[in-house]
Amino acid sequence: LDRLKADLCFFEEEHSRLDKYLKDCRALSSPIHSLPPELLTEIFMLSFNSNGLESPIGPAFRLGAVCSRWRTLALSTPCLWSRLEI
C-alpha cells in the first residue's frame, strides 16, 4: 500500500510538471495562429499592395514558404496567384 501511495504521489507530481510544461509551450505559440483565414488573407493582400513587397516569383510562393498553414492559405487564395509573373 505504501508503494502505491508513493507511485501515486510521483505520478501526481509528474502530471503537475507536464501540465506546467504544456502551459509554457502554449504561451510560446504566436497569436497570429488564432486569426481566421479570411482576416489573414486580407492582411497578406494589404501588405503586398501597400509595402511594395512584390517579387518576380509572386506573393503566393513567398507566403507558402513560411509555414504549412500559410501555404494552405496561399494555395486557396486566387488573388495571390493572379500576381504570378512568368
Side-chain angles (χ1 to χ4, degrees):
L1 188 58
D2 290 337
R3 195 181 113 250
L4 290 175
K5 286 180 182 179
D7 287 347
L8 178 61
C9 184
F10 169 78
F11 287 122
E12 286 175 344
E13 289 174 5
E14 188 71 8
H15 180 268
S16 177
R17 187 184 67 79
L18 291 173
D19 192 43
K20 183 185 178 319
Y21 177 76
L22 182 60
K23 287 178 184 177
D24 291 344
C25 287
R26 285 184 181 147
L28 292 175
S29 65
S30 175
I32 198 164
H33 294 294
S34 64
L35 292 176
E38 299 82 11
L39 182 57
L40 200 51
T41 301
E42 287 299 317
I43 292 170
F44 291 161
M45 294 308 299
L46 288 172
S47 68
F48 276 100
N49 287 337
S50 63
N51 292 329
L53 294 176
E54 291 296 337
S55 75
I57 61 171
F61 286 110
R62 293 178 70 194
L63 292 171
V66 173
C67 66
S68 62
R69 180 176 182 228
W70 286 25
R71 182 179 308 108
T72 302
L73 191 58
L75 289 171
S76 64
T77 308
C79 54
L80 292 175
W81 289 98
S82 66
R83 296 171 168 213
L84 182 64
E85 297 176 14
I86 298 178

